[in-house]
């Protein structure tokens, strides 16, 4: 596959190699019910359990010791400029970003509908040379914790986050 070296260079090869894994929604719901916002832990019969950065690195191959990925991205460009820049790329470069987004971001940064990634993370793909300098593991874990805390509120019927990490 021509995109494999590019996906490897960006640090997303680990998650891309996992491929499709069916989700056990009953397990995910049970874990959400056991999540405690005040301690950011799962309360199990045998004690507390927590997901760590090392879990993200070991289970999904993401870097955990670089520039932190956050939802607040400072840029001198407007969103329209970035979109125009992404669309104005050579077709092979645009397909590289699409491959990374489709195989990776959509798995680890799902939005509440469960079928698309949060658009704020697409900005981080604007410069492929910088993608491997980000600590994607910290962003993934923070996004999951945020999503679990939101899911604890009454009336919430959808959850965001890395269900694959949560299940494994």
């Amino acid at each position: 596959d021509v995109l494999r070296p590019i996906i490897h260079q960006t640090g997303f090869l680990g998650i891309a190699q996992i491929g499709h894994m069916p989700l056990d929604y009953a397990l995910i719901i049970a874990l959400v019910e056991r999540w405690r916002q005040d301690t950011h832990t799962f309360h199990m019969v045998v004690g507390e359990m927590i997901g760590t950065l090392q879990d993200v690195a070991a289970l999904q191959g993401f870097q955990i010791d670089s520039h932190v990925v956050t939802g607040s991205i400072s840029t001198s460009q407007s969103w329209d400029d970035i979109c125009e820049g992404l669309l104005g790329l050579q077709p092979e470069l645009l397909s590289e970003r699409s491959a990374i987004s489709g195989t990776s971001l959509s798995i680890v940064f799902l939005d509440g509908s469960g079928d698309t990634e949060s658009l704020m993370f697409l900005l981080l793909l604007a410069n492929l040379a910088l993608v491997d300098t980000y600590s994607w593991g910290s962003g993934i874990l923070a996004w999951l914790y945020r999503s679990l805390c939101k899911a604890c509120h009454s009336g919430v019927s959808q959850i965001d986050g890395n269900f694959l990490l949560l299940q494994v």
Side-chain angles (χ1 to χ4, degrees):
D1 184 35
V2 79
L3 295 176
R4 185 181 179 91
I6 295 161
I7 294 172
H8 176 69
Q9 174 193 351
T10 61
F12 283 89
L13 188 59
I15 194 72
Q17 288 178 323
I18 292 173
H20 177 72
M21 183 176 172
L23 295 175
D24 183 344
Y25 292 103
L27 172 63
I28 292 168
I29 290 169
L31 288 170
V32 169
E33 290 172 351
R34 287 163 179 75
W35 180 255
R36 299 296 178 261
Q37 292 184 75
D38 52 341
T39 59
H40 290 115
T41 58
F42 297 99
H43 286 245
M44 310 300 233
V45 175
V46 296
E48 291 181 290
M49 182 186 88
I50 188 167
T52 66
L53 285 173
Q54 288 74 18
D55 293 331
V56 177
L59 296 172
Q60 295 187 323
F62 285 107
Q63 191 164 282
I64 59 172
D65 57 359
S66 282
H67 298 97
V68 178
V69 174
T70 67
S72 176
I73 301 165
S74 61
T75 178
S76 60
Q77 294 177 299
S78 71
W79 175 249
D80 290 338
D81 290 340
I82 291 170
C83 289
E84 183 178 311
L86 289 175
L87 293 174
L89 290 172
Q90 298 169 354
E92 62 274 9
L93 295 179
L94 187 55
S95 68
E96 292 166 5
R97 284 172 182 75
S98 298
I100 294 166
S101 177
T103 61
S104 306
L105 291 182
S106 60
I107 294 170
V108 298
F109 293 115
L110 285 176
D111 70 3
S113 69
D115 63 359
T116 59
E117 69 272 3
S118 176
L119 291 177
M120 69 180 161
F121 297 105
L122 289 177
L123 291 171
L124 296 171
L125 298 180
N127 185 342
L128 286 179
L130 295 176
V131 172
D132 71 337
T133 68
Y134 300 127
S135 175
W136 289 98
S138 61
I140 290 164
L141 193 60
W143 185 261
L144 180 60
Y145 280 17
R146 174 192 160 276
S147 300
L148 288 166
C149 289
K150 281 177 49 180
C152 291
H153 297 148
S154 62
V156 173
S157 62
Q158 295 179 328
I159 181 173
D160 303 338
N162 187 338
F163 300 142
L164 186 58
L165 177 64
L166 186 58
Q167 179 172 302
V168 174

